[in-house]
Amino acid sequence: GLSLHELAAFAATLERVIHSEAMTRLQAAYVLSGDEPMQKLQRDEAHNVTQTYMKIYVTGLNASASKIRNVEAIYPGWKDTLKFIKDLQIEVAGDRPEYEFSDITDVVEEAGERFGHFQNQECIEMKKALVKLEELEGSGRVRIADFYGSALHEGQWQFTES
């Protein structure tokens, strides 16, 4: 097992890695939005950067410009995510005409803290869809043809290979 000191060092390292990933995504969001990191942003520009950040967040760290442009097509929960990030930005940084880089950093770090809880509803819906596909009720098994068939014929985008 780990001593208390080792556990604290592990937790600090993990937090540093998470922060580093968030900053990498945020810098990419600035670039993809056509803005420079560290500059002040007007309200609409700040919303655009945080939305771009969330596009990268939900599509993956190595998201391309074309992939994030089409996020609505590949991520059905996008409209709810837009509301989530806009409301969070107002809650964390306030609703004002200009935002500093540090304000946007606070917003995206808080998004990382809260998004799992927010997204849990999607998980519940996915579980319900999978349970409906079970071969035998309560077995926890889904026939492969039913799994892929739900993606092909019923629009269950989650049930595809990536």
Side-chain angles (χ1 to χ4, degrees), residues 13-91:
T13 301
L14 187 58
E15 187 171 342
R16 194 172 323 121
V17 168
I18 291 168
H19 174 77
S20 176
E21 286 182 359
M23 291 304 93
T24 299
R25 281 190 294 267
L26 183 55
Q27 288 176 351
Y30 268 85
V31 170
L32 289 169
S33 297
D35 294 304
E36 287 291 324
M38 307 308 284
Q39 73 181 31
K40 286 185 181 180
L41 297 177
Q42 299 300 312
R43 179 185 295 119
D44 290 343
E45 293 170 318
H47 285 309
N48 187 43
V49 167
T50 57
Q51 289 174 15
T52 302
Y53 176 91
M54 289 308 295
K55 287 178 181 181
I56 295 168
Y57 191 92
V58 300
T59 59
L61 190 57
N62 297 320
S64 66
S66 62
K67 191 174 183 181
I68 68 164
R69 257 193 307 275
N70 298 323
V71 72
E72 296 86 359
I74 61 173
Y75 188 66
W78 181 244
K79 286 183 182 177
D80 294 331
T81 302
L82 279 177
K83 181 173 176 10
F84 164 80
I85 194 64
K86 186 174 183 179
D87 292 348
L88 186 64
Q89 183 170 331
I90 292 168
E91 179 185 334

Side-chain angles (χ1 to χ4, degrees), residues 92-154:
V92 171
D95 189 16
R96 53 183 192 251
E98 284 188 337
Y99 294 87
E100 300 282 346
F101 182 79
S102 61
D103 298 325
I104 303 302
T105 299
D106 292 345
V107 172
V108 300
E109 286 184 340
E110 191 64 26
E113 294 284 329
R114 294 190 196 181
F115 192 68
H117 180 73
F118 164 79
Q119 197 180 31
N120 189 49
Q121 188 58 40
E122 281 183 34
C123 297
I124 292 168
E125 295 302 319
M126 191 180 304
K127 179 182 176 184
K128 287 178 185 177
L130 283 168
V131 167
K132 286 181 182 177
L133 295 175
E134 279 183 327
E135 185 175 18
L136 298 170
E137 187 175 330
S139 69
R141 293 181 288 180
V142 176
R143 290 183 41 230
I144 194 88
D146 294 339
F147 180 82
Y148 286 116
S150 68
L152 290 172
H153 307 297
E154 298 170 26

